[in-house]
Every structure is written in C-alpha cells, then in structure tokens.
Amino acid sequence: MTSQNLPGQPHIAYRGNELFSEDVRLSDLVKEHGTPLFVYSKSAMLSALAAYQRGFAGRKVQICYAMKANPALGVIQLFAQAGCGFDIVSGGDMDRVLAAGGQAEKIIFSGVGKTRAEMRRALEAGIGCFNVESEAELEVLSEVALSMGLRAPVSIRVNPNVDPMTHPYISTGLKGNKFGIAHERVVRTYQRAATLAGIRVVGIDCHIGSQITQEEPYLDAMDRMLDLVEAIEAAGIPIQHIDFGGGLGIDYNGDTPPPADRLWEKLLAKLDARGFGQRQLMIEPGRSLVGNAGVCLTEVLYLKPGEQKNFCIIDAAMNDLPRPAMYQAFHQIVPLQSRAEAPATWDVVGPICESGDWIGHDRALAVQPGDLLAVLSAGAYCMSMASNYNSRGRAAEILVEGNQTRLIRQRETIADQMRQEILLLNK
Ligand code: LLP
C-alpha cells in the first residue's frame, strides 16, 4: 500500500486512499465517536517539543507550554510528564495545570488583567513567576503578597516595539498593543519594583506575537531585551531569568517558519555573543507545540451548488473552528477517504446562522454528502476558542498514540450546556 504524507503534517498520511493519524484510521474514529471530532497525535506533540529541546541542549531553559493554545487536561498532562512548565492567563488555567499534575513552581502567569483573587490563589499555590504587564498591576500584586506575608516573584513584561509581521490581531509587541510595559519605562518600573516590599524581581519577559514565520523579529526583540537587562543590572537589580515568550508559527498552507532548533541556534549565538549564554532562559511556545498535531474531523451534510458559489455544508462550524471567521485564517481541508472523481470548487461552510461561518473558501474537493473531511492544523486555538453558539455542544477530543486511542474529552451534551442555567420562577 502506498503511503503519502501531507506537507507540513508529519503524523498524518494517506495509506491507500484512507487518511491515518499515526497508525489510526481516522474514519474508524468517526464510526466510534461521531463528528465533529478533534484528534491529536501524541508523537507529533512530543516531536515538536523535541525540536525545542534539541535547540536548547546544554542550556538552562524552562519550556513553559502556553496552554491557551490547547488546554485539554490530557494535553497538559503530556507536557507536564515531558518536564514542561506552563504559561497561564487565568486562575482557571492554573487549576487545569494543577489538576493535570503540573508543578506550581513551573507556572508563569501572563495577562494584563489578573484579579486580586487570582493573584492570591497563585501565591498560595506557589507559582514560579508573575509576568507583570503594567505599573498598576505591580502595585496591586505587591499589596496582595504583603497581606499574605509573602513576596511575589516577578518578571516585567516588556513591550519591545518590534513588528512580528503577522496578523494584527495576534501581534502583541507593538507600541499600540495593550501588552507589556513600554520599552522606555522598563528601567523605571524595575526601580520601583525593587522598592516594593511585596515584590521579588526574578526575571524579564517579552512576547511579541503569534504565528511568526521569520527570524528577524525575534533577533530584534532579543537585542532590545538584552539592552534592557544590561541597563536594569547597571541600576543594581539582578535579573535571574530571561523569558522570550512564544510565537513561533506553523505551516498552515506552505508557510515556512524556521524550525525551532534552527531559530534557537541563531538566538543562542546572539546570546553567547552578548555574554548572556549561561543565563536561565524561559520560553512560552503554544501553537508550535500542538498546532500541527491536531485535526478536526467533520461530515459533509449537504452540497449546495449555486450560480456564484458552490457550498459544501459540513457539521463543524465557527464555534468549533473560529480561526477562519476571526482572522481569515487558512486551514487545509482534505478527505478522509479520497475519491477518484475530478474535484469541483467549494466554499466549505458550517451550519451556524452567520455568513462568517466559513471554514475554507474556494477549495478543490471531490465530495458527496456523507463524506468525511479533515480540517488540518487544528491542534491550536480551535477547541480552546470553541463556543456554544447556536446551542452547539463542544466536540469530543481524542489522543492518538501509535495504534492506541484515548478519549480525552467527551462530547458536550445539551444537558451539559444547560446545567448552569436557571428558569424563571413564574410560568
Ligand atoms: N505567551 C504569551 C504571553 C501569549 O500571549 C501567547 C499567545 C503565547 C505565549 C503563545 O503564543 P504561540 O506560541 O501560541 O504563538 N488565537 C490566535 C492566537 C492568539 C495568541 C495569544 N497569545 C490564533 O488562533 O491565531
């Protein structure tokens, strides 16, 4: 039987005319679990992690998986067992990490709007670092920590004002973004932090954006960060760790981001050249660890050929796969069982009552109602951004390992959805 890998998707391949993830025939999973269904490959996640680990061989680094990309407990557990820490953005994220066996001291807490309650709980749990994003937050964190008789470990998130050359919604390190503290104010903020009794300065942090496919923005951001570390230390405040955030892109449609090990070879060469090679480093990758490990399986419900457009209506929608609607993002769409017929051009759309509910425009597909399709590169920022719009339950999730499969999240029922709601008393 011939085996044919799909570009950018090392873990999925056609064997004959059937699509497999690792050694699992995807159409078998649909028979058992229905659609829409997310399927993640364990070996794809671990090999993405291994690329970073290779890149950092011999260095002091803590890889903190940015769990916003995919916060399934099973996925967190996998990365915790592989030694990762976690980048979190809420108390809920922290609870997930702890529930999945992650270590509190390997958690870093990012985000512009941490509440006092979240700060208190994170201090109680003993997390590794708060990445503080404003001067106001710094004051509040100090107050909260002091009230508990503690000192909060802190990095200041720097906004280095570099253009990551990505979609405006996912670029975060530019002056006009809400994230981090402006480059010019950073030294002053560290000086203030050093005077606050509830704060212990441990590091410095930046994150410039997501789906970055070029090296230059990282190299620029690194130079700016190191300039700052020099200035902060010259002011007498030692910096133990340097956190370069996440953001490395994946191949959705012929994108060519540098492989993690190659990118870090260059970045480490710069660190060495500037004398920072032996510092404790941290990174916060999300998408690059899980994005191309996942697919979303869906069934073709109806074909609706038209004068201007042909619509292929599937049972997955923008509530399952919000990236096309939100960022005009491209995800490849391929059949689970390829057909010999010539393809036609289809707009692949979901059942939700919005014109924005599209998954792919102008796709060449040979399809019939009842066929199964896979939406590729669906491991990151799909389930994590899924919603219940139109009372649609969230999909089930499966982790594949070799020929073994494990259900890691059950399909959400309508009873699950209505559980939190309360009817009016008067009938
Ligand atoms: N660290 C911080 C502080 C972040 O804000 C993010 C992502 C990451 C790390 C991880 O970035 P990654 O390695 O995954 O690029 N929903 C959008 C992406 C939003 C990214 C938000 N922050 C999308 O679907 O493209």
Side-chain angles (χ1 to χ4, degrees):
M1 199 188 309
T2 59
S3 176
Q4 185 204 338
N5 271 95
L6 300 179
Q9 317 279 330
H11 67 292
I12 52 176
Y14 284 102
R15 296 188 190 172
N17 72 338
E18 286 271 358
L19 196 64
F20 279 68
S21 172
E22 301 197 26
D23 296 323
V24 174
R25 190 198 320 261
L26 289 171
S27 58
D28 289 346
L29 281 179
V30 171
K31 277 187 206 127
E32 196 178 337
H33 299 281
T35 51
L37 183 68
F38 282 88
V39 182
Y40 309 124
S41 150
K42 179 173 171 179
S43 75
M45 293 187 192
L46 292 181
S47 63
L49 177 63
Y52 281 100
Q53 289 165 331
R54 271 196 309 277
F56 284 107
R59 306 289 179 144
K60 287 184 276 185
V61 66
Q62 178 62 60
I63 300 175
C64 291
Y65 167 51
M67 59 176 286
K68 71 200 83 181
N70 188 326
L73 292 178
V75 171
I76 294 173
Q77 212 178 353
L78 190 86
F79 285 117
Q81 284 165 2
C84 290
F86 296 89
D87 172 45
I88 67 166
V89 200
S90 70
D93 273 355
M94 184 180 83
D95 291 337
R96 281 182 172 273
V97 171
L98 299 178
Q103 290 164 259
E105 61 272 22
K106 290 187 184 170
I107 293 177
I108 52 180
F109 195 166
S110 302
V112 296
K114 304 175 192 81
T115 65
R116 286 169 191 263
E118 286 175 321
M119 290 172 177
R120 212 170 292 123
R121 291 186 42 237
L123 284 164
E124 263 161 27
I127 69 159
C129 188
F130 291 83
N131 288 348
V132 167
E133 304 227 15
S134 65
E135 288 148 80
E137 180 193 338
L138 187 66
E139 303 288 330
V140 170
L141 180 58
S142 176
E143 237 176 79
V144 172
L146 266 186
S147 74
M148 299 170 72
L150 297 171
R151 301 186 82 178
V154 159
S155 280
I156 303 291
R157 175 163 173 188
V158 176
N159 183 333
N161 196 24
V162 298
D163 185 353
M165 298 182 263
T166 183
H167 191 286
Y169 282 15
I170 52 178
S171 86
T172 49
L174 275 168
K175 264 206 165 127
N177 296 133
K178 69 177 174 179
F179 299 99
I181 291 179
H183 199 253
E184 316 76 69
R185 296 193 62 86
V186 167
V187 177
R188 235 177 305 166
T189 309
Y190 271 96
Q191 282 167 330
R192 173 69 185 151
T195 67
L196 291 172
I199 299 292
R200 180 164 54 91
V201 169
V202 293
I204 188 166
D205 165 54
C206 78
H207 170 78
I208 56 174
S210 200
Q211 186 53 20
I212 300 170
T213 54
Q214 297 174 43
E215 291 166 354
E216 290 71 23
Y218 280 106
L219 290 161
D220 286 355
M222 178 172 277
D223 266 327
R224 289 175 174 229
M225 289 281 280
L226 298 182
D227 292 346
L228 283 172
V229 175
E230 284 167 354
I232 296 160
E233 296 196 325
I237 304 166
I239 297 292
Q240 289 158 33
H241 75 246
I242 310 178
D243 178 346
F244 291 102
L248 182 58
I250 60 170
D251 179 3
Y252 284 101
N253 183 30
D255 308 286
T256 51
D261 48 353
R262 261 220 348 252
L263 173 67
W264 275 98
E265 201 184 296
K266 295 220 172 139
L267 290 170
L268 289 168
K270 184 182 272 294
L271 275 174
D272 287 343
R274 293 197 52 175
F276 290 93
Q278 286 316 308
R279 284 293 165 112
Q280 171 71 43
L281 305 174
M282 288 208 195
I283 52 165
E284 309 165 1
R287 186 191 320 263
S288 52
L289 292 181
V290 293
N292 273 343
V295 295
C296 178
L297 309 184
T298 174
E299 182 179 331
V300 176
L301 298 175
Y302 303 105
L303 295 181
K304 190 170 163 183
E307 259 174 42
Q308 287 192 3
K309 285 272 184 191
N310 297 324
F311 292 104
C312 169
I313 300 164
I314 60 174
D315 70 353
M318 65 189 282
N319 75 301
D320 306 295
L321 296 159
R323 303 191 68 258
M326 282 183 79
Y327 321 108
Q328 295 79 47
F330 184 99
H331 288 259
Q332 288 186 58
I333 304 173
V334 299
L336 292 204
Q337 291 156 321
S338 53
R339 287 179 171 277
E341 295 98 274
T345 302
W346 300 97
D347 267 18
V348 180
V349 300
I352 281 180
C353 294
E354 300 231 12
S355 296
D357 182 25
W358 59 276
I359 307 298
H361 284 144
D362 298 322
R363 300 304 175 87
L365 288 165
V367 273
Q368 292 298 330
D371 281 7
L372 299 171
L373 300 175
V375 179
L376 306 187
S377 310
Y381 302 114
C382 292
M383 265 304 270
S384 61
M385 299 200 299
S387 78
N388 289 126
Y389 192 30
N390 284 190
S391 298
R392 291 169 53 86
R394 266 171 264 235
E397 294 177 296
I398 304 276
L399 188 71
V400 164
E401 179 177 14
N403 62 5
Q404 304 293 306
T405 65
R406 187 165 184 86
L407 180 67
I408 59 168
R409 182 186 174 112
Q410 290 177 345
R411 187 173 300 287
E412 195 175 22
T413 66
I414 188 63
D416 294 332
Q417 282 187 59
M418 294 195 296
R419 187 158 297 137
Q420 304 305 111
E421 295 181 50
I422 300 157
L423 284 168
L424 303 179
L425 287 180
N426 48 339
K427 305 220 168 81

